[in-house]
Amino acid sequence: MNQAALKTRTERILRDLGIDPQVIAHRTLPYFEEVSEHLLEDTETDAETGKVYRLISPAATAWHQMKQQAAADGVGIYLVSAFRSLDYQAGLIRAKQEAGIAPQTFFTSLAPPGCSEHHTGCAVDINTPGCDEVTGVFGETEAFQWLQSHAARFGFVMSFPMNNPWGFIYEPWHWCWHSNS
Ligand SMILES: [Zn+2]
């Protein structure tokens, strides 16, 4: 699907959620394909919930290598999110709606379905032991410092630095593996 077709699909999902697509019209959000299930690999299991996080194979390999190097350097990192389907993303949005939060607000920290890098199977949300919440405070951790120095070597790039052009909040926990880096 091309960007126009992907955009149309996102607009349809937003309407199904009762959200006027105009709410993101001023944002130059990119649209992503949802990766095929068969390309995803079980990458890590959540120690608390037992949830299995999946990435495409080369991203999973890069993640394991990065995590191993971080551990060798005395830094613990673990996944709190990886691949997310469009349906799953829509569910996250429904939860925000049920909590009474306005789309203009939650779309600064949650991408509309079709606009999340998590659909590609290349994006990860990372946390570290001792960091209670995956928010801007992750940016003050030793793990974040380590990632800033070393993640690029493994192909991971922080997608949403402060004042990013897409209008997302600063997300020091969100990194995306890029095959060409
Ligand atoms: Zn993320």
Side-chain angles (χ1 to χ4, degrees):
M1 272 195 268
N2 60 28
Q3 287 284 303
L6 293 169
K7 182 171 187 244
T8 301
R9 183 175 63 173
T10 286
E11 289 175 350
R12 192 175 58 236
I13 296 170
L14 290 180
R15 285 196 196 91
D16 287 346
L17 287 163
I19 298 169
D20 185 345
Q22 276 303 112
V23 83
I24 55 162
H26 66 290
R27 307 262 299 268
T28 50
L29 295 173
Y31 294 87
F32 299 102
E33 298 267 6
E34 190 181 57
V35 70
S36 298
E37 290 271 327
H38 75 274
L39 293 174
L40 294 166
E41 181 179 303
D42 291 356
T43 307
E44 194 166 299
T45 304
D46 192 294
E48 269 179 39
T49 65
K51 186 181 156 71
V52 176
Y53 299 111
R54 296 180 297 166
L55 293 171
I56 62 165
S57 190
T61 301
W63 166 255
H64 290 311
Q65 287 170 348
M66 182 165 79
K67 183 173 169 136
Q68 201 170 23
Q69 184 58 54
D73 292 344
V75 174
I77 50 173
Y78 60 90
L79 295 177
V80 291
S81 190
F83 167 74
R84 299 206 294 252
S85 68
L86 271 76
D87 281 347
Y88 188 87
Q89 193 76 9
L92 294 178
I93 286 162
R94 249 179 254 114
K96 296 284 184 191
Q97 290 177 297
E98 281 159 19
I101 304 167
Q104 291 89 331
T105 303
F106 60 68
F107 279 149
T108 62
S109 58
L110 192 62
C115 298
S116 173
E117 279 184 336
H118 288 284
H119 302 321
T120 66
C122 296
V124 292
D125 289 343
I126 302 171
N127 202 5
T128 186
C131 184
D132 297 342
E133 45 179 333
V134 184
T135 63
V137 299
F138 179 75
E140 292 156 26
T141 63
E142 192 191 348
F144 178 68
Q145 267 180 11
W146 187 92
L147 288 166
Q148 277 199 305
S149 304
H150 303 283
R153 188 149 48 90
F154 300 92
F156 285 93
V157 174
M158 183 172 65
S159 304
F160 308 115
M162 284 179 197
N163 302 314
N164 61 78
W166 302 283
F168 285 114
I169 58 167
Y170 169 52
E171 296 193 4
W173 64 87
H174 177 110
W175 296 70
C176 193
W177 178 79
H178 296 265
S179 58
N180 56 352
S181 55

